[in-house]
């Protein structure tokens, strides 16, 4: 969604030659989810049907041995004198057997897409191509491009030579993106290199024109450059890989024709669900706050009820005499406990005293030696 109501028109030498109004479709909402969904389904319509051979894995002559032989009932190859005899066959768990659920050519390959969704996706992709940040995030090199969207006068549609096309892109500052695409060419990883898809290449600028007066042959041989008529805009070109922000080079006639294709008697231009996406600002605005109910006070919290059987202070509120009786009992119990502890300490001290006397006596008599050391004589 560009911020300018007017777009500059550049000559083939890169100088500004005029202005034109920004198409209304380039202010459409950016819905990357719809673009991704539509692109995924459109891309499935290019697939070619494939399937495995209907006889693959089932060309062995095998029959099951049945039950009673303590082996699985899988079909087994017959014969003798070779290691193949008795081996399982046909099953997907068997060596040389068929795959599980063999693929068929009558699979559902194509996808039907809602026309309104396709138009919404194309409108979003067009709007994203007018946002420089999204174009750069896609990887396009537009450092020297004077303006996005880039509009060129109608003389570009009469270009017939590739050398002229290269000079035009250099003058407009778009040649860096073409060089980036050319330098990205490399051999594809995987088996696709053997299936007529040997090289991969990044996408470069998309040239959109109104009438083909030679522009197709002039630009088609440049690496990464694609061309598209404004009457046949394709989401697969406007958002490759489902990612919005393709770098587009427009002819002036093509840009002006967008207002005929979209809006008025043409296709409906999608509108955003919210004109202002700043939800916090809307909620806090005076218009909204003036009609809202005042903030409700939080309910008062009450302390949990105390149990008078446990809490003396709770019992005192109910029966002061019972509370005092309980306190007296507690003091009496405390005094009794102290008296008991005091008596226990006294008994322990007395025991230690007599134990020390016994130990001293035993030590004293032990110094006298053996009683029968020189014999035991009774006089």
């Amino acid at each position: 969604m560009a911020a300018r109501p007017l777009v500059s028109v550049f000559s083939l030498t890169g100088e500004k030659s005029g202005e034109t109004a920004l198409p209304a479709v380039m202010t459409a909402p950016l819905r990357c989810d719809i673009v991704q969904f539509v692109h995924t389904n459109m891309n499935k319509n290019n697939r070619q049907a494939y399937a495995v051979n209907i006889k693959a894995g089932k060309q062995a002559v095998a029959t099951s041995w049945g039950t009673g032989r303590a082996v699985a009932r899988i079909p087994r190859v017959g014969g003798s004198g070779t290691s193949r005899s008795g081996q399982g066959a046909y099953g997907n768990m068997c060596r040389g057997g068929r795959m599980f659920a063999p693929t068929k050519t009558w699979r559902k390959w194509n996808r039907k897409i809602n026309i309104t969704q396709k138009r919404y996706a194309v409108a979003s992709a067009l709007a994203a191509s007018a946002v420089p940040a999204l174009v750069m995030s896609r990887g396009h090199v537009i450092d020297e491009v004077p303006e996005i969207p880039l509009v060129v006068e109608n003389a570009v549609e009469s270009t017939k030579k590739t050398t002229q096309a290269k000079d035009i892109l250099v003058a407009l500052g778009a040649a860096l993106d073409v060089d980036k695409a050319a330098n990205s060419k490399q051999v594809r990883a995987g088996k696709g290199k053997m299936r007529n898809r040997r090289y991969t290449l990044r996408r470069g600028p998309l040239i959109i024109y109104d009438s083909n007066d030679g522009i197709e042959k002039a630009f088609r041989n440049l690496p990464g450059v694609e061309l598209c008529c404004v009457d046949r805009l394709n989401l697969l070109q406007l958002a490759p890989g489902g990612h919005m922000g393709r770098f587009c080079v427009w002819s002036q006639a093509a840009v002006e024709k967008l207002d005929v294709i979209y809006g008025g008697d043409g296709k409906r231009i999608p509108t955003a669900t919210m004109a202002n996406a700043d939800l916090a600002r809307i909620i806090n605005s005076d218009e909204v706050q003036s009609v809202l109910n005042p903030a409700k006070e939080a309910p008062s919290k009450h302390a949990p009820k105390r149990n008078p059987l446990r809490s003396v202070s709770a019992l005192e509120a109910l029966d002061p005499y019972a509370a005092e009786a309980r306190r007296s009992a507690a003091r009496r119990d405390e005094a009794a406990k102290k008296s008991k502890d005091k008596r226990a300490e006294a008994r322990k001290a007395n025991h230690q005293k007599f134990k020390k006397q016994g130990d001293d006596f035993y030590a004293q008599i032990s110094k006298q030696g053996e009683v029968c050391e020189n014999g035991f004589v009774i006089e």
Side-chain angles (χ1 to χ4, degrees), residues 33-98:
D33 53 340
I34 295 179
V35 171
Q36 182 72 52
F37 174 79
V38 174
H39 182 279
T40 300
N41 287 279
M42 286 182 64
N43 215 24
K44 290 180 180 179
N45 294 333
N46 295 329
R47 294 182 294 178
Q48 180 177 339
Y50 66 88
V52 296
N53 192 328
I54 195 172
K55 297 180 180 179
K58 301 182 70 173
Q59 293 178 318
V61 180
T63 55
S64 174
W65 289 355
T67 59
R69 298 183 65 173
V71 292
R73 287 176 283 186
I74 192 74
R76 298 177 183 275
V77 178
S80 63
T82 174
S83 60
R84 182 57 172 152
S85 63
Q87 290 183 353
Y90 298 167
N92 64 306
M93 76 291 292
C94 298
R95 176 177 176 270
R98 57 162 173 77

Side-chain angles (χ1 to χ4, degrees), residues 128-145 148 177 180 244-248:
S129 68
V131 182
L134 294 179
V135 176
M136 295 178 69
S137 67
R138 261 208 100 252
H140 293 289
V141 182
I142 57 173
D143 298 338
E144 297 183 3
V145 176
I148 295 291
D177 199 43
K180 183 263 301 182
M244 300 187 298
R246 181 75 185 267
F247 175 36
C248 299

Side-chain angles (χ1 to χ4, degrees), residues 303-317:
K305 184 178 179 181
R306 294 178 298 174
N307 187 357
L309 298 178
R310 292 184 177 181
S311 175
V312 179
S313 58
L315 179 61
E316 188 175 14

Side-chain angles (χ1 to χ4, degrees), residues 113-193:
I113 311 167
N114 191 308
I115 293 179
T116 308
Q117 272 188 319
K118 283 200 291 188
R119 291 179 178 175
Y120 202 133
V122 172
S124 290
L126 288 174
S129 68
V131 182
L134 294 179
V135 176
M136 295 178 69
S137 67
R138 261 208 100 252
H140 293 289
V141 182
I142 57 173
D143 298 338
E144 297 183 3
V145 176
E147 193 172 303
I148 295 291
L150 182 60
V151 182
V152 189
E153 60 186 10
N154 293 330
V156 70
E157 297 179 352
S158 302
T159 308
K160 292 182 172 57
K161 292 292 184 179
T162 304
T163 54
Q164 298 176 2
K166 291 176 65 176
D167 295 339
I168 292 172
L169 292 177
V170 171
L172 296 173
L176 292 178
D177 199 43
V178 178
D179 295 338
K180 183 263 301 182
N183 295 332
S184 68
K185 184 176 181 180
Q186 58 183 357
V187 178
R188 181 187 300 272
K191 289 189 176 180
K193 67 169 69 72

